[in-house]
Amino acid sequence: MSTFDLVIRGGTVVTAADTFEADIGIAGEQIAAVGRGLEGKRVVDASGRFVLPGGVDSHCHIEQIEADGSVHEETFESAARSAFAGGTTTLIPFAPQFKGQAIAAHAGDYAARAARSPIDYALHQIVTDPTDAVTGEELPAIVRNGVRSLKVFLTYDPFYVTDGEYLRVLEAAKRLGAIVCVHCENYDAIKWGADALLRDGRTEPASHALSRPRVVEREATYRAIALAELVDQPVHIFHVSCAEVADEIARAQSRGVKVTAETCPQYLVLTAADMARPGREGAKFMCSPSPRDAGDAEGLWRAIRNGTLDIISSDHCGYSFGGSRGKWIHGPDADFTRIPNGIPGLAARLAIAFSEGVSKGRIGINRFVALTATTPARRFGLYPRKGSIAPGFDADLVLWDPEREVTLTNDLMQHAIDYTPYEGLTVKGWPTMTVARGSVVMDNGVVTASPGAGRFLAASAAADAPGRPPR
Ligand code: DUC
Ligand code: ZN
Ligand code: ZN
């Protein structure tokens, strides 16, 4: 019998399809065997643990450069620490483009940052300026190099695209076999609402939610889908915040439109009321779309259960609360329109999804694996290398204690940001070990993240893109 480099012995293996008792034999960086009685040079006892595929976080902002030249505090190194701490082994962050500039203007710089990544990563390409040169030359080259998902923003200065520009991106993506991911909120409607609030002196963080109510997201979602339908191009809707938006997506799916969608932990456990906390604390919860109200999470779980939403990503986008670089980069009295949007969530994503989903009986554990690892890997062209447990897959695994109750603190997140919006939230279910390509990178909270150990993952055509022949 062969002796493996590492054997994970006696755990309950869980994939998106099955749950069974087995040992996992790892040779080098890959899973070589799933069976019984496996022997290894190193053996990890996984009894009492679920053994899950390492999480794939398909939406996170890492060391991203902003239009003003500032760079996000979360580096690839700190992000990897946080991801490993939480059981995630693959990240998909965003390479930027700014209006009036070629994609190439920042590509080398971003690739150099990413080259220091301790964690495997693929990339999405943000497109803000789809000129002829971009759609005709740069995007084909990017897709050839393994970046097959393009992100467009329908709001946000200075990223947002007009409907005409969005159509150009859809058309290019169709020609190139890429997927388009969309941030759905209506730019002019938000500006109209925000201007009115500011005129009334409502500058505080709580106004963020008031300036961008559900209908602003629903309208943009409808438009994003309708234009994708016109071009017949698959789209993925990012960070769905509530059921009325999910309903819009379900309606399109039921008439055969090629649209998929995700939600994020912030919409499952935070609410707009968090932004009304005293002082400036509300800024800690400010992200877009806005967290909604207490009842909205149940609607999202219904949409998860019926398949309308099939990914839970973090949309990790950290800005520290203290100091002058993060949330208060525009000054300590900045009004709500000048506080950067985004919250950190890399390490908390799996624990919140498991606790709110599996521990509370809303979904089964196979569905949890599908939402957090298998489907993001398939959607973004990383399958069958990432996202499941079988011979030939990368040995990315997380050992999970379903009974462990943990009260979240910022220290547990191990990120570069000085707070977590989930401080004090108690979760049931916690990762005890993370293995990335055969190396133990987290053992009971102790993380090893070696700069440069991560690899760039060239995406192939998505395994589950609607309208493509099955593979
Ligand atoms: N919303 C985004 O779309 N991206 C980053 C952070 C946020 O809140
Ligand atoms: Zn977005
Ligand atoms: Zn985002």
Side-chain angles (χ1 to χ4, degrees), residues 81-99:
R81 300 190 73 78
S82 189
F84 290 156
T88 287
T89 49
T90 302
L91 301 180
I92 315 186
F94 296 82
Q97 187 208 3
F98 300 107
K99 286 193 194 298

Side-chain angles (χ1 to χ4, degrees), residues 64-71 98 158-159 329-330:
Q64 194 176 308
I65 185 168
E66 295 287 353
D68 63 6
S70 63
V71 177
F98 300 107
F159 290 111
I329 193 164
H330 298 299

Side-chain angles (χ1 to χ4, degrees), residues 59 61 94 151-153 156 182-184 238-239 288-289 315:
H59 180 171
H61 302 266
F94 296 82
K151 171 158 190 189
V152 295
F153 292 86
Y156 270 145
V182 195
H183 178 120
C184 296
F238 271 162
H239 42 49
S288 293
D315 196 5

Side-chain angles (χ1 to χ4, degrees), residues 56-62 64 88 90-94 122-124 126 149 151-153 156 181-184 236-240 261-267 288-289 311-317 342-346 349 372 376 380:
V56 177
D57 194 343
S58 54
H59 180 171
C60 48
H61 302 266
I62 311 296
Q64 194 176 308
T88 287
T90 302
L91 301 180
I92 315 186
F94 296 82
L123 292 174
H124 301 295
I126 294 173
S149 44
K151 171 158 190 189
V152 295
F153 292 86
Y156 270 145
C181 303
V182 195
H183 178 120
C184 296
H236 179 74
I237 307 298
F238 271 162
H239 42 49
V240 172
E262 65 176 30
T263 189
C264 314
Q266 49 270 40
Y267 305 113
S288 293
I311 290 177
I312 298 179
S313 70
S314 72
D315 196 5
H316 175 97
C317 185
I343 58 175
L346 284 172
R349 178 182 72 114
T372 56
F380 295 107

